[in-house]
Amino acid sequence: MERPGRSDATGQTAPLVSVVIATHNRPAALRQALRSVLGQTLQDFEILVIGDACRPETAALTAEFDDPRVIYINLPVNFGEQSGPNNIGFARARGRFVALLNHDDLWFPDHLAAMTGWIDATGADIVIARGAIIEPARMKGDPLKTSIYGMGKGGLYDPVITAGYGSAQMARRASLGRHGPWRPASECSCESSQDWLFRAWRKGAVIATMPHLTVLRIFSGQ
């Protein structure tokens, strides 16, 4: 098991957490997502920004941060959705844990500290954080609608009631091979993130749900 401060196969010191962010030509949104990672109370991480065949503006944005923990990998082929970039991120991750963040979502500052503590305390393979979905007003003057996701049953994932979107997921890197990759959206009958969780659960993964809210999911495109 890799622990912080231990060297990986390349001889480099492995981070505790690898954060994987799939992105495609949304530098303004990506800037805010990166700020929410760099502002974490737990600072032992690497950030793998996986560009889905992005324009040069995305590379320029990541370079602005001038932080060696921010690693930009631009794919030569456009997958058109998250599964391809996330799977590349899983393969490149060096951390003991792997956390996902959508390029237009945000984490509260204690997200990584809380998630690593919860996954260790529960011994789970995967942990799902509680999150809030901020939905835009349908008409001018209407209030914003907020819904909460990530609830489990007895502290564990329940396939009937639990929604655990990508930005709320953290997994032990050593267990990723057992869960399998994200499937392309065209092969899923639900969101790819939900499909991955359900298949991991079917294969026997222990999936715990964390009881406090640390994620904001925002419909930035609207």
Side-chain angles (χ1 to χ4, degrees), residues 18 34 42 46 65-66 72 77 80 107 139 147 150 162 202 208:
S18 294
L34 285 169
L42 188 156
E46 64 177 358
F65 287 91
D66 192 25
Y72 180 56
V77 176
W107 286 342
M139 298 182 64
S147 54
T162 306
R202 287 285 299 271

Side-chain angles (χ1 to χ4, degrees), residues 169-192:
Q169 296 177 6
M170 175 180 281
R172 294 181 186 274
R173 184 168 63 88
S175 71
L176 289 176
R178 299 196 303 270
H179 310 327
W182 277 39
R183 295 197 301 177
S186 60
E187 298 178 10
C188 302
S189 57
C190 56
E191 288 200 26
S192 298

Side-chain angles (χ1 to χ4, degrees), residues 4-5 8-9 12 23 25 27 42 59 61 64 84 93 103 109 129 137 178 185 209 214 218:
D8 64 10
Q12 298 176 309
T23 191
N25 296 335
L42 188 156
L61 179 277
E64 283 180 16
H103 68 175
R178 299 196 303 270
T209 53
T214 60
I218 302 169

Side-chain angles (χ1 to χ4, degrees), residues 144-207:
L144 294 175
K145 180 182 177 183
T146 303
S147 54
I148 305 298
Y149 66 89
M151 283 76 74
K153 189 173 184 179
L156 296 172
Y157 168 84
D158 183 293
V160 177
I161 66 170
T162 306
Y165 301 105
S167 296
Q169 296 177 6
M170 175 180 281
R172 294 181 186 274
R173 184 168 63 88
S175 71
L176 289 176
R178 299 196 303 270
H179 310 327
W182 277 39
R183 295 197 301 177
S186 60
E187 298 178 10
C188 302
S189 57
C190 56
E191 288 200 26
S192 298
S193 57
Q194 304 304 294
D195 174 81
W196 185 77
L197 280 177
F198 180 71
R199 287 186 293 111
W201 175 77
R202 287 285 299 271
K203 292 176 181 178
V206 177
I207 306 175

